[in-house]
Amino acid sequence: MHMLYPSLLRCTLLGTSLSLLTACADNHAASQVDTPTPVVQSATISLPTATVSTTSTATFEQPTQSFASWQAAFRQEALSAGIQAAVFDAAFAGVSPDPAIIRADRSQPEFTRPVWEYLDSAISATRVRRGQALLAEHASTLLAIEQRYGVDRHALVAIWGMESNFGQYMGDKSVIAALATLAYEGRRPAFAHEQLLAALRILQHGDVQPSRMRGSWAGAMGQTQFIPSTYNQFAVDFDGDGRRDIWDSSADALASAAHYLQKSGWQSGQPWGVEVTLPSGFDYALADAEIRKPISEWRQLGVNNIPAADDQARAVLLLPAGHRGPAFLVLDNFRAILKYNNSTAYGLAIGLLSGALESQPGVHAAWPRSDRQLDRSERIELQELLASKGYAPGAADGIIGANTRKAVRAFQQSLGQPADGYPSHELLQQLR
């Protein structure tokens, strides 16, 4: 989902594990794209893990008022906010709560998927070939976008592929019906409420008709999966037809994504990151999202295979599979990608896919493919065990955030192990 959409809603509940993996690339990669949209929140690097929703559902209280009563009250609010009555009535014609939206919203992610499997799917040979063909087909448009926004064409096409499989999987839900359902009886009504008003403003502006405003169950729209508020802020009419059309105009969709990345801090001519090797005895605790060092300092610490670059550019060391897997130094453009979708795995997928589109080699180091990922109940158990030993991992919610990783590092250090903060099955066994 491109921007401003809390990764959680963006696709099919990407997952509440180490980080919300965008199901966009994952599902879209294979034939169904998980669509996480760019998150307009600060990007914090999180451990990558993709999750698959199970059929389990949580219990939620049903609204006390009828949908008709809710809609009448919302109509008055929308009109007070400047939405024309005719626009509102046309948008809501035939709209009623969609049970499929509620099921998707309430499904609880349970099963985690390793980052390497996610990347295998995201950077498939089929996707790379299709992306290269589209780079050639849209060369003049992409050049013009690069010149205006300074964002690399390969990264844009990678996002295009991850978000909607190059426009083939944009979602088939009415955005108005989906957001109305979530605003009426969803778990995050305030956010859906805000996005619904934003969607009505899009219709009032005349960029799209209600019947064409379709997207994911969570309201992410178009070829680059913008949520409505992100669309209103960053969508552009690049093809000059008077409409910001991210559904049927690839030029508008790609330029809108470029505009968003530009405003998110994209640095023209700078790489997103690079795979590196670490020296023997390296302090793996330095692989922390809060530790940003100039390239020159990473060199001094013995980090190898860093290509010629601005030595003052600041980078974070990323170990997406712990010390036994590949290592990456990621720079500002990686952070900009995370603002599109706050998932480390998504950021890696965009970076590596953009490289593959340029025929660059893939990841050199081997992934620890024999590792078994912790499922949600095991992640909760890990947090509970860490807390019982005084390591303060935060709430036992199954989400491996900064506090849990710090607690894992502290426990690893107590055992004299590499303190990479990676919650492995072996670590859980040791805690048990």
Side-chain angles (χ1 to χ4, degrees), residues 222-277:
Q223 299 184 36
T224 44
Q225 293 290 280
F226 277 19
I227 57 169
S229 60
T230 296
Y231 175 101
N232 284 331
Q233 189 172 0
F234 298 103
V236 298
D237 171 24
F238 199 76
D239 62 14
D241 69 353
R243 296 183 302 116
R244 299 169 298 171
D245 183 3
I246 62 173
W247 293 269
D248 296 316
S249 170
S250 57
D252 286 2
L254 291 166
S256 297
H259 185 212
Y260 180 75
L261 289 172
Q262 178 197 55
K263 295 302 183 182
S264 297
W266 186 274
Q267 301 295 309
S268 179
Q270 184 186 91
W272 64 272
V274 62
E275 185 182 3
V276 295
T277 58

Side-chain angles (χ1 to χ4, degrees), residues 253-397:
L254 291 166
S256 297
H259 185 212
Y260 180 75
L261 289 172
Q262 178 197 55
K263 295 302 183 182
S264 297
W266 186 274
Q267 301 295 309
S268 179
Q270 184 186 91
W272 64 272
V274 62
E275 185 182 3
V276 295
T277 58
L278 306 177
S280 175
F282 185 80
D283 180 6
Y284 291 102
L286 294 174
D288 186 317
E290 297 179 359
I291 299 177
R292 298 180 69 220
K293 294 179 176 293
I295 292 292
S296 58
E297 289 191 24
W298 290 115
R299 292 185 195 276
Q300 292 169 8
L301 289 167
V303 177
N304 298 310
N305 296 340
I306 304 176
D310 178 3
D311 277 356
Q312 296 310 305
R314 300 176 71 81
V316 167
L317 179 63
L318 178 64
L319 301 177
H323 73 283
R324 294 176 54 235
F328 303 88
L329 281 182
V330 295
L331 292 88
D332 289 337
N333 288 347
F334 189 83
R335 293 165 65 85
I337 294 168
L338 291 188
K339 290 181 180 179
Y340 201 106
N341 182 351
N342 194 10
S343 156
T344 299
Y346 179 85
L348 282 173
I350 296 301
L352 294 171
L353 178 55
S354 66
L357 293 174
E358 292 188 86
S359 299
Q360 294 178 4
V363 178
H364 176 72
W367 295 100
R369 292 181 180 270
S370 62
D371 281 4
R372 183 175 78 75
Q373 301 297 290
L374 300 181
D375 62 25
R376 184 171 179 269
S377 62
E378 289 173 324
R379 296 195 304 273
I380 290 174
E381 181 188 0
L382 176 131
Q383 292 169 321
E384 291 172 341
L385 290 172
L386 285 168
S388 72
K389 297 179 183 299
Y391 288 106
D397 54 9

Side-chain angles (χ1 to χ4, degrees), residues 387-408:
S388 72
K389 297 179 183 299
Y391 288 106
D397 54 9
I399 301 174
I400 308 299
N403 289 334
T404 300
R405 292 193 297 275
K406 288 179 181 178
V408 168

Side-chain angles (χ1 to χ4, degrees), residues 82 84 98 137 236 364:
Q84 298 168 8
D98 184 344
E137 179 181 339
V236 298
H364 176 72

Side-chain angles (χ1 to χ4, degrees), residues 30-349:
S31 73
Q32 24 184 4
V33 186
D34 173 14
T35 43
T37 94
V39 194
V40 166
Q41 304 163 345
S42 60
T44 56
I45 297 180
S46 52
L47 290 179
T49 61
T51 67
V52 177
S53 299
T54 68
T55 56
S56 63
T57 58
T59 300
F60 293 87
E61 294 184 5
Q62 294 298 314
T64 55
Q65 67 177 158
S66 68
F67 182 75
S69 296
W70 172 87
Q71 181 177 322
F74 181 70
R75 185 179 188 275
Q76 288 303 118
E77 179 184 350
L79 268 54
S80 297
I83 301 300
Q84 298 168 8
V87 170
F88 185 98
D89 294 340
F92 272 80
V95 168
S96 61
D98 184 344
I101 300 295
I102 296 303
R103 286 194 297 271
D105 185 45
R106 295 179 182 179
S107 61
Q108 297 300 306
E110 182 65 37
F111 172 71
T112 51
R113 185 179 183 203
V115 61
W116 48 88
E117 289 186 9
Y118 175 79
L119 294 174
D120 288 346
S121 179
I123 313 170
S124 67
T126 298
R127 173 167 286 173
V128 171
R129 287 194 299 269
R130 178 61 176 153
Q132 290 173 332
L134 290 169
L135 277 163
E137 179 181 339
H138 298 277
S140 60
T141 297
L142 289 165
L143 175 60
I145 292 172
E146 275 185 335
Q147 291 173 336
R148 180 176 301 183
Y149 298 107
V151 177
D152 176 69
R153 69 184 67 188
H154 301 92
L156 288 177
V157 171
I159 287 174
W160 191 17
M162 290 291 290
E163 292 298 327
S164 67
N165 204 18
F166 309 111
Q168 295 184 36
Y169 302 100
M170 293 184 283
D172 60 359
K173 297 292 185 183
S174 161
V175 170
I176 296 298
L179 292 173
T181 299
L182 294 170
Y184 171 58
E185 61 173 312
R187 291 181 299 160
R188 301 167 188 81
F191 179 81
H193 189 102
E194 171 194 355
Q195 295 306 315
L196 186 53
L197 281 173
L200 291 171
R201 293 188 180 100
I202 294 171
L203 295 174
Q204 184 156 292
H205 190 268
D207 289 305
V208 64
Q209 294 300 309
S211 62
R212 186 55 181 151
M213 184 186 269
R214 307 193 74 79
S216 75
W217 69 265
M221 313 177 300
Q223 299 184 36
T224 44
Q225 293 290 280
F226 277 19
I227 57 169
S229 60
T230 296
Y231 175 101
N232 284 331
Q233 189 172 0
F234 298 103
V236 298
D237 171 24
F238 199 76
D239 62 14
D241 69 353
R243 296 183 302 116
R244 299 169 298 171
D245 183 3
I246 62 173
W247 293 269
D248 296 316
S249 170
S250 57
D252 286 2
L254 291 166
S256 297
H259 185 212
Y260 180 75
L261 289 172
Q262 178 197 55
K263 295 302 183 182
S264 297
W266 186 274
Q267 301 295 309
S268 179
Q270 184 186 91
W272 64 272
V274 62
E275 185 182 3
V276 295
T277 58
L278 306 177
S280 175
F282 185 80
D283 180 6
Y284 291 102
L286 294 174
D288 186 317
E290 297 179 359
I291 299 177
R292 298 180 69 220
K293 294 179 176 293
I295 292 292
S296 58
E297 289 191 24
W298 290 115
R299 292 185 195 276
Q300 292 169 8
L301 289 167
V303 177
N304 298 310
N305 296 340
I306 304 176
D310 178 3
D311 277 356
Q312 296 310 305
R314 300 176 71 81
V316 167
L317 179 63
L318 178 64
L319 301 177
H323 73 283
R324 294 176 54 235
F328 303 88
L329 281 182
V330 295
L331 292 88
D332 289 337
N333 288 347
F334 189 83
R335 293 165 65 85
I337 294 168
L338 291 188
K339 290 181 180 179
Y340 201 106
N341 182 351
N342 194 10
S343 156
T344 299
Y346 179 85
L348 282 173

